[in-house]
Amino acid sequence: MNRAHKVAGLAFLVAAAISLLIIQALWRPFEFHHAPEKPQVYDVHIDIDRPDAIIDSAALSRLPRDIIQVPLLQSLLTQDFVDYYETHPTRLSAEGALRRLAFEHNLDWRDSIIRQIFDEPARVLLWRSPDRRLGRWMISMRRNGIAKLAQAIGNVAASDSQLSRIARLPDGTAVYAIHLATDHTLIYAAKGDRLVIMSEPGMLLDNANEPIRARVKTVMRMLDGDADQALRSYGLDHVPPVGNGHRLVVSVNYLSFGYQAFFTGIDALRFDFAPAANGGQSTWSTWALIAPGRLPQGWNSADLWHALPADPAACASLPVDWTDATKLLAQLGAAGKQAAPVLSKAFSGPAAVCWYAKSSLVSPVFVARLSPGAQRDPKQLDALRQALGAELFAQVIGAYEAKADSREDYSRLPVQATHDDAAGVWSWMRPVSAVAGTAVSADAPFARQLSTPRYFPVTLALTPRYAIFSPDARLVNETLAVLGKRYPALADTIAPARLAGTVAVIAPSAAAAMAEREITLALPPDQEPIFRNAARTYLFPKLHAFARYPPLTLSLPDAPLPSRAGWVKVDWHTENGK
């Protein structure tokens, strides 16, 4: 929700910027100003042809209101989400300035001018900023009257302290900067009836105020109305336009915080909104950009759902490319380098991650399936046990424990290894002191060696078919119980026909309970009384409403996946068990 919140807010910042352009063009000529100064430019490192997100909208003003048409979001966002942006300080300030100027200079401006700007079709390209939010952006739009406005701006730019011309494109198109605040400058260029606005000078210029060639080419293509490389990079150049609706595209690399190397078979997610027509209902549809050649075993997740415990808060199947993923182990020292070739051959198919309300947000359980070769070959299984458990787990897992009975320079509690010969299960557990741990230190036989009142019993288990890992030993033990037919499986709650194609599971009741508990723990009453009370008053009722929804699954279509990379529609289903 938070990211959708931030992305939608960009529309209103852009509208305010356009309003200020109008102000500059129409009334600044009547005032005296000092010579303009060029803005300070900082290096902006982005791939101009590959944004982290794209918004195509027939009318940006409708986007927040249409987002809450998603049934699952109606209880969480409601009208407050729309009202927040319609009463945003930036928007209100721009509207107030326009009304004042119209009054003082007898200008024939209507109160609806902001709404008219919002109602224009626009494309927004967004990139992550250093704080990880989508803080850098470029917007292109087509609007009647842009040429006349651009001419007026050119007439006043030379003598305006807030508006300045900072560059020219190769075709002679001027690029202007408008200073909104001490540390906030937008730049823009207009040609014909097209306008391109950028979030900061570094989007186009280097720190010597020189245009960056590749970015100049992109801006010129946008001003000429050509399909830009950003659309091609996501395979959108042949996808039908949104018409009177919206399209939101987000890269999986951004959503996964840069961990896409673990599942390169899925490149992006897309959400299309189609407004109601002929008395019908408006709809949001979900799509995934899939590279079938990188999907393990066609992304069949049935075995994983049979192995995982029932009643999760949320689960996802990850189409891991084990060859690429295990290359990252080289960064974990000698043990990682030695384990990489063993693990790349020992695993196959997708992996799964699940969160449970009985545990915590930071301690999900991961399950990966062994390759057929590793399952059949005792020597390969033994090599995996040695590399994964005896060496890699012992080296990587653990933190410094000041009270540990250890003679090592970096003292840690010892790894506790066990073997169930009858079941063929090996397991390793190392206690790690942590304030947010899932186990109580006082209950442990090694309590005096722990540094905090709580700890994580970080556990890895290896069975003849699966590897299971979690910072919470309870989840590993329950997964082993599922495999031993002593605990119900998640597969028991999913329609059998959809087991293989299900890629995500959400149980609103469990997810809401976990979210409420985590938020409460993060806001101690003696330290954060205001935020805690605000969460109880405004957020928790929405979580309780969200909890009333039945479990949902996100599934691939029954038809075979395409033979080449492309967009595949995925469907949401309500699950009520068999």
Side-chain angles (χ1 to χ4, degrees), residues 211-505:
I212 301 172
R213 182 177 301 178
R215 301 181 189 181
V216 167
K217 290 182 178 179
T218 296
V219 171
M220 291 181 64
R221 286 198 298 264
M222 296 172 76
L223 289 172
D224 289 336
D226 295 338
D228 53 71
Q229 183 59 33
L231 295 183
R232 298 188 189 96
S233 69
Y234 285 104
L236 293 170
D237 45 331
H238 298 301
V239 175
V242 295
N244 196 35
H246 317 281
R247 173 176 295 144
L248 284 68
V249 179
V250 186
S251 74
V252 169
N253 183 275
Y254 177 70
L255 292 175
S256 63
F257 300 97
Y259 285 95
Q260 193 185 6
F262 287 103
F263 37 92
T264 55
I266 176 171
D267 199 23
L269 296 179
R270 187 179 106 215
F271 306 93
D272 290 355
F273 176 80
N278 299 324
Q281 292 185 341
S282 56
T283 59
W284 278 96
S285 57
T286 306
W287 300 73
L289 181 57
I290 289 176
R294 289 183 171 271
L295 288 179
Q297 299 180 353
W299 206 352
N300 187 323
S301 306
D303 286 351
L304 298 173
W305 307 137
H306 279 293
L308 284 157
D311 301 322
C315 288
S317 170
L318 309 176
V320 179
D321 186 318
W322 291 104
T323 301
D324 287 345
T326 52
K327 290 177 182 178
L328 300 177
L329 293 175
Q331 303 178 25
L332 300 179
K337 292 180 180 179
Q338 294 175 4
V342 177
L343 269 62
S344 65
K345 297 179 181 178
F347 293 106
S348 67
V353 57
C354 284
W355 289 263
Y356 290 82
K358 67 187 73 175
S359 187
S360 74
L361 185 64
V362 297
S363 57
V365 61
F366 296 86
V367 175
R369 191 175 64 175
L370 272 59
S371 65
Q375 295 181 33
R376 293 191 302 263
D377 186 354
K379 292 184 178 180
Q380 190 173 348
L381 186 60
D382 187 62
L384 175 62
R385 176 185 61 80
Q386 182 66 25
L388 185 61
E391 296 177 6
L392 191 60
F393 183 89
Q395 175 182 299
V396 174
I397 300 300
Y400 177 76
E401 302 282 359
K403 299 179 181 180
D405 296 337
S406 174
R407 296 181 181 180
E408 299 178 2
D409 293 337
Y410 189 76
S411 60
R412 296 178 290 182
L413 272 70
V415 173
Q416 302 174 16
T418 59
H419 178 219
D420 183 344
D421 189 56
V425 176
W426 287 84
S427 63
W428 299 263
M429 192 277 287
R430 169 170 270 160
V432 180
S433 297
V435 175
T438 57
V440 179
S441 300
D443 298 337
F446 39 81
R448 64 180 184 83
Q449 299 185 65
L450 295 170
S451 305
T452 57
R454 303 187 70 85
Y455 73 98
F456 284 113
V458 185
T459 303
L460 169 70
L462 184 63
T463 78
R465 295 186 62 196
Y466 298 94
I468 309 160
F469 173 82
S470 176
D472 189 346
R474 292 176 300 174
L475 300 185
V476 174
N477 293 334
E478 286 188 1
T479 305
L480 292 174
V482 172
L483 296 175
K485 308 298 182 183
R486 304 186 306 274
Y487 196 92
L490 175 56
D492 298 338
T493 63
I494 301 175
R498 289 197 292 269
L499 266 178
T502 294
V503 295
V505 178

Side-chain angles (χ1 to χ4, degrees), residues 4-20:
H5 210 254
K6 293 174 181 177
V7 170
L10 289 173
F12 296 90
L13 180 60
V14 169
I18 297 174
S19 302
L20 286 171

